[in-house]
Amino acid sequence: MLVVDKITKRFPGVLALEDVSLTIEAGKITALIGENGAGKSTLMKVLSGIYQDYDGQVIFKGQTVRFSSPKDAQEQGIAIIHQELNLIPYLSIMENIFLGRELITQYGTLDKRKMKMRTQELLDKLKLSVKPETLVASLKVGQQQVVEIAKALLTESEVIIMDEPTSAITESEVEVLFEIIDDLKKQSKAIVYVSHKLDELFRIVDHYVVLRDGKSIESGNMKGITQDVLIQKMVGRSIQVMRKEACEKRADNLLTVKRLFLKHPVRAKEDLLKNITFSVQKGEIVGIFGLMGAGRTELLETIFGLHPFVSKSEIHIENTRIIINSPSDAIKAGLALVPEDRKKDGLVLGMDVKTNICLTTLPDLEERGFLSELKESLLSKKYISELKIKTSSPYQQAKNLSGGNQQKIVLAKWLATKPKLLLLDEPTRGIDIHAKSEIYKLILSLADAGLGIVIVSSELPEILAVSDRILVMAEGAITAEFSAKEATEDSILKAAIPKSVYENQL
Amino acid sequence: MNLQTYRANLIRFQSLIALFILCLALSILSDKFLTVSNAWNVMRQISVNICISTGMTLIVLTAGIDLSVGSVLALCGAITAGLLRNGIEVPSGNLYIGFTLLGAVIAGILTGSFLGAFNGWAITKFKVPPFVATLAMLTIARGLTMLWTQGFPISGLGDTFLYFGTGWLLGIPVPVWISGIIVLIAVLITNKTRLGRYIYAIGGNESASKLSGINVNRVKIIVYTIAGALAAIGGILVTSRLDSAQPNAGTSYELDSIAAVVIGGTSLSGGRGSILGTVQGAIIIGVLNNGLVLLNVSPFWQQVVKGFVILLAVIIDKSNSKND
């Protein structure tokens, strides 16, 4: 269906793709696998018409093509569904699907009746039971993704490229997505599936193509390969995810949270957090697992002072009750929060590495009321070398670094505050395996040094690998607690599925 | 590599280069342009805009904007002038309070600070977009000016007061000294202090700044307060130069000020820019105004030219940041 033949794409000073060749077949799901920076996104941009100047050729249905724009690619039958969804929140599903290709009546007005009909057909096909007039803003992320797929189907796309489609949706939505993908496959569409989550790939993918450093390393049938071998091919060396050794029960209370509630910002009767009580010991890593919307992020944010406290809630640090009304109170109490979305909440992307690292500790970096260039530079250099942040200099802008290195900057700026307790929200989201293992190592060594760590993650293997104790959240409450030994994927998942979902299905 | 540094330097000094070319062209076109007296004249004229624009730069760096500076300038100028000339009479209490020069000036600056703080308060406490909050203040302050002056200019303010706007010190006009000192302090704040760093960080990414423990609301209120105080100083300079507080003084000054900030390379989306850039922007606008007058260009055409210059500056700036 689609053949990529010896594509080379150069950027000033960088060879992003070098002689990449691969074949994508109709009625098959092909996985594009590689670490961040391996060239996946560049390749997708070539295929979807964003980049037009490259060497080599793309052969689509037997003909050499060179798309002049994403619209051109779409019209010829290649659709891409980006990781960050490209929908307009305050337009309806129908308006989004027909954006840029609205149907017109003979009088030149919008043919709403026909568009509504077509939208309804698509939604039925994709089993999304909402009305075409529903505003996209009121849909869940998983449903929005289905709308994106509907958009691709409207143009009768034959190749559908999905970039990390499961990164933001719940397990049950993943199941729905996989059913849809399976249906598309049966309609002999060619699917290109890009994901970091290897277990998913083994479930649904037929073929794989591994990219590394801009080259296509290997391709083959998914059935004939194991996860370990695949990882080895991605990173070029084998990496073992270490498992934390059980820490001896130190019964040294670091954080105690009692009766934490959080009101829904709009719906007054609804609680986002319901009576949360838990504690963290010194040197302990507590994993919190929950599906999207379980309240994991809100829990960390509330502890960190980003949401108003309810008076009956209590937070104790080292057995002393403290009041936290703002992040600066939390920092004073020895807390640090590495947020879920590092680009939005973690970094000032336009500032350099040094300035980002120093941002949390500026009062310590002053001399006679002025910032000391020397102190700033010493502090940033210390963390750049300790955390092995790969940057050309401390003066490099944060936006030019890879995801893994950006995450290390965020960690560095929090370690600089000498925290007692680290709150980590999805600390390895969207970063490659190599950086991941470095961050795991760092987390483990910090716990060894006596820090308490709370890690929120939607990746079960990650939670299982690093935690001493695992709390499971669903619908704003803690539904189960496991020690590292007794926890299994099944038992955790069972506790994480909201009861209301069961009820809805009955 | 060498070419890159060369390019970077070219971008860095582009507004200086533009200014140089502008001056060169005007010197050739008019024999009155390149004279000492004209140079001081231009500097004296732009010192008011530099005062206002310094505050505006701080605000724009936090991704805000202040449309009220012109009205605040008028009100503060009028209050200083009114207090200086008439003091405050409270008929019912049979009370009269006279003001010394210093007292009147301080009262004017405090008024500006208060109005600025009010802007900041509305913006942070009620999450009113800066554009709207300061647009409201534009009207409020202008209305208060009319009430205070009853629509008539306040004149005859005494020779000592006129020194601020028209005097000389060590061979340099006093307003140039004042704006120069303000610029110096602002440069120190932006480059060397925590407050300055926080201003850039908030403009670059407000939510990340908040999570880093920065008291975003306090920084914003401080910045709007500073801008209000600087607008007041501008108002006092204008009043002093004319020996009269005009009720409609400072009309559309906010536009000249935003123009100076933008031409100086400060991004309206915040986080990027500098005080010295703004100073260059203000000088470019000042020289342009002056040159067009010397060349006998009609005031109507002057506005058209100025508009295109602003547009051009932003287009160049955009294409530079794209190549970054």
Side-chain angles (χ1 to χ4, degrees), chain A residues 304 306 327-328 331 337 339 342-349 351 354-355 358-360 362-363 366 369-373 376 397 413-414, chain B residues 4 188-215 271-272 321 324:
Chain A
F304 203 63
L306 282 164
S328 73
I331 294 168
L337 170 67
R342 65 183 156 269
K343 288 188 177 159
K344 192 170 136 270
D345 303 318
L347 292 168
V348 186
L349 286 171
M351 285 184 150
K354 180 202 77 167
T355 312
C358 297
L359 202 56
T360 48
L362 287 186
E366 284 179 325
F370 292 108
L371 293 172
S372 155
E373 178 71 22
E376 282 192 63
Q397 292 200 342
K413 90 176 191 192
W414 287 114
Chain B
Q4 260 177 21
L188 273 180
I189 288 178
T190 46
N191 292 334
K192 293 278 173 201
T193 70
R194 224 192 311 164
L195 176 65
R197 184 65 57 78
Y198 289 166
I199 288 171
Y200 279 96
I202 289 170
N205 186 342
E206 184 167 330
S207 87
S209 303
K210 191 175 167 197
L211 272 173
S212 300
I214 298 172
N215 191 335
R272 204 166 54 89
S321 57
D324 249 3

Side-chain angles (χ1 to χ4, degrees), chain A residues 8-42:
Chain A
T8 299
K9 169 76 188 162
R10 269 172 245 274
F11 292 109
V14 193
L15 202 56
L17 292 175
E18 193 181 351
D19 275 344
V20 169
S21 300
L22 53 97
T23 309
I24 293 157
E25 290 172 38
K28 289 269 158 62
I29 304 173
T30 308
L32 205 52
I33 310 171
E35 292 189 282
N36 280 11
K40 290 176 309 204
S41 3
T42 314

Side-chain angles (χ1 to χ4, degrees), chain A residues 285-328:
Chain A
I285 302 180
V286 174
I288 297 182
F289 180 81
L291 302 176
M292 207 78 173
R296 309 163 303 180
T297 299
E298 289 79 4
L299 174 60
L300 297 193
E301 287 179 351
T302 309
I303 296 173
F304 203 63
L306 282 164
H307 301 295
F309 268 89
V310 177
S311 57
K312 59 189 161 191
S313 304
E314 288 178 26
I315 289 183
H316 299 255
I317 299 273
E318 291 174 330
N319 298 320
T320 322
R321 183 169 179 193
I322 50 163
I323 306 292
I324 298 178
N325 284 322
S326 69
S328 73

